[in-house]
Amino acid sequence: MSSGFADFDAGHRDLVSVTKFNFYGNRIVTASSDHRMKVWDQKDGEWQLTDTWRAHNAEIRDVSFQTPLFTPCTLHMAIDRLLTPAQATWNGPFTGQHIGSVGEDMKCKIWQEDVTQPPNSGRRFRSIFRMTAPQRHPFVSIDFRNVDLESWLAVITRDGYLMVMEPVSPDSLADWQPLDQFRVCAAPQRGEETSFKVQFHHDPADITHSVLPSWDRKSLSLVVAAMDSVKVYRTDANRRFYHAIELNGHGGLVRDISWANGSVRGHDLIASGCKDGFVRIFEVYTSVSNNGSQNANGSHAGPITQPSSNRTTTQSGIGSALANRAPASMASRSATDDNQFKHSYKEVACLDSKHLDVWQVGFSYAGQ
């Protein structure tokens, strides 16, 4: 074993399907085909089991930590909220941690850590939210995004239906409502092998704000692996997602995507891992524009977006309501005519893995 690497037995009863670090690198969650999740904390140079529990009634497909990226400003705001009696019920990261998970049982769940429960009791993490996938296609990928003290959740199903959620109340992650939802590509044929992944851009500031400082500082950006393509979506002035650009050239299904931190470089950096055995790295450029027409490299943003509709606050029961709603029919979502940005890209690297499939890719924290 190479120096600096730790090897330990996760103790699952079946294949380990997911491993994820938290933001600080001192906690790991593992999930398995045995329907169980385990949380490990680094103590005294070793990985020690904090708790294990049955999370789903089928194979777990993906998990994600919900951990805000604190700046001095947001840390000060969080401390203020903790010291304010009216905010005593705020269940932010200082009172535990949240983990999202999706499984083949059609469920998306959010687990909140209860630090008052003893380790390895099976009660350390409790389910505070669950949602059933629409149209009987399970969720296959999940990610959180945090800006200051606000959170968003993105999930995508096996047939390419993307849902972005926001909490009903900023003080709790127990009730969520849809911010936007649409299909990222035409529905795959029955029995066709599929591949979908979703990831938020996690930098504290989106590059659109760097290009245009007057733009919404809390604008959201998503990268989606959609079958054999990679698509980038951003929010417009109405907080609706538009299809910003498509990264083409893959020779098979895209298994995974990763968006590098580091907007200071002046462009976005996105990597993809593909079934054709290659890791591709793309530079995505964003500039100010008065329309959403053709990009400099010939890529188009896609069809015109649907008008933004007023969202109503939805309390508990949203999962069952969404399960009965038919997915939107649009294959992609484009910017409105008055969009402020245009996007272009170029492929800067194509790395041969010497294997049949590339199943996972990821950048270092600094995006190097």
Side-chain angles (χ1 to χ4, degrees):
M1 183 172 64
S2 300
S3 176
F5 287 86
D7 186 14
F8 63 92
D9 183 4
H12 284 285
R13 302 173 185 176
D14 207 331
L15 294 175
V16 176
S17 55
V18 187
T19 59
K20 290 285 180 72
F21 278 96
N22 69 347
F23 170 73
Y24 304 102
N26 58 3
R27 170 169 276 192
I28 297 175
V29 58
T30 61
S32 170
S33 298
D34 66 6
H35 311 171
R36 287 168 172 78
M37 291 170 57
K38 295 174 181 279
V39 172
W40 309 79
D41 287 312
Q42 192 174 40
K43 297 178 181 178
D44 302 324
E46 297 181 351
W47 291 100
Q48 299 182 12
L49 182 63
T50 297
D51 209 358
T52 180
W53 70 100
R54 185 185 179 96
H56 289 266
N57 293 322
E59 178 185 352
I60 300 170
R61 292 298 305 270
D62 198 14
V63 297
S64 179
F65 280 106
Q66 189 266 344
T67 307
L69 309 184
F70 287 108
T71 63
C73 175
T74 59
L75 182 58
H76 178 70
M77 292 168 61
I79 293 174
D80 281 348
R81 297 188 71 170
L82 282 175
L83 298 178
T84 304
Q87 300 296 337
T89 59
W90 180 61
N91 61 345
F94 296 98
T95 59
Q97 193 164 39
H98 295 87
I99 302 174
S101 64
V102 293
E104 290 287 336
D105 58 358
M106 308 287 174
K107 302 297 182 183
C108 167
K109 298 182 180 181
I110 297 179
W111 308 88
Q112 181 180 354
E113 184 178 14
D114 184 353
V115 295
T116 66
Q117 295 294 327
N120 298 311
S121 63
R123 303 186 303 274
R124 183 85 173 187
F125 290 84
R126 61 185 181 89
S127 174
I128 62 170
F129 173 80
R130 65 177 60 197
M131 177 174 63
T132 302
Q135 303 301 304
R136 305 302 298 171
H137 291 280
F139 296 114
V140 293
S141 182
I142 181 172
D143 197 25
F144 284 102
R145 171 74 167 116
N146 300 280
V147 181
D148 296 340
L149 298 176
E150 296 186 49
S151 299
W152 291 269
L153 169 70
V155 287
I156 193 167
T157 65
R158 182 179 289 157
D159 66 336
Y161 188 51
L162 175 66
M163 302 171 63
V164 182
M165 315 285 290
E166 60 184 357
V168 172
S169 168
D171 295 329
S172 172
L173 300 187
D175 288 299
W176 294 72
Q177 61 187 355
L179 173 67
D180 207 348
Q181 49 192 322
F182 53 93
R183 189 176 294 286
V184 300
C185 66
Q189 297 295 316
R190 186 178 183 89
E192 182 181 4
E193 183 183 7
T194 65
S195 184
F196 294 98
K197 286 279 188 175
V198 61
Q199 186 185 97
F200 280 106
H201 177 53
H202 287 288
D203 249 20
D206 192 82
I207 198 169
T208 54
H209 179 66
S210 303
V211 172
L212 189 64
S214 61
W215 193 246
D216 182 9
R217 192 178 65 83
K218 295 181 180 179
S219 59
L220 302 175
S221 295
L222 282 167
V223 60
V224 176
M227 299 296 281
D228 61 353
S229 181
V230 174
K231 298 183 178 183
V232 175
Y233 295 89
R234 300 186 189 273
T235 50
D236 60 18
N238 296 318
R239 304 308 299 277
R240 297 275 287 176
F241 282 92
Y242 67 92
H243 181 204
I245 199 166
E246 185 169 355
L247 313 180
N248 296 308
H250 299 89
L253 294 174
V254 179
R255 299 295 196 190
D256 198 22
I257 33 88
S258 183
W259 198 322
N261 288 331
S263 293
V264 293
R265 65 171 61 90
H267 58 266
D268 290 303
L269 201 62
I270 294 174
S272 65
C274 187
K275 185 179 179 179
D276 64 7
F278 289 94
V279 175
R280 293 172 174 85
I281 301 177
F282 302 89
E283 292 180 354
V284 180
Y285 304 95
T286 302
S287 58
V288 177
S289 173
N290 291 325
N291 58 67
S293 60
Q294 185 170 329
N295 294 312
N297 70 333
S299 299
H300 291 268
I304 298 300
T305 184
Q306 301 296 319
S308 177
S309 59
N310 293 328
R311 296 192 307 275
T312 57
T313 298
T314 308
Q315 298 296 334
S316 59
I318 182 138
S320 59
L322 288 173
N324 295 324
R325 179 181 299 176
S329 60
M330 78 281 286
S332 60
R333 182 83 70 82
S334 177
T336 52
D337 289 335
D338 61 349
N339 182 51
Q340 299 289 322
F341 305 101
K342 64 178 181 179
H343 308 277
S344 60
Y345 78 95
K346 67 177 180 180
E347 182 180 314
V348 296
C350 186
L351 313 176
D352 189 351
S353 72
K354 306 298 183 182
H355 294 86
L356 179 62
D357 271 6
V358 179
W359 283 96
Q360 191 168 356
V361 293
F363 283 100
S364 63
Y365 167 69
Q368 299 296 324

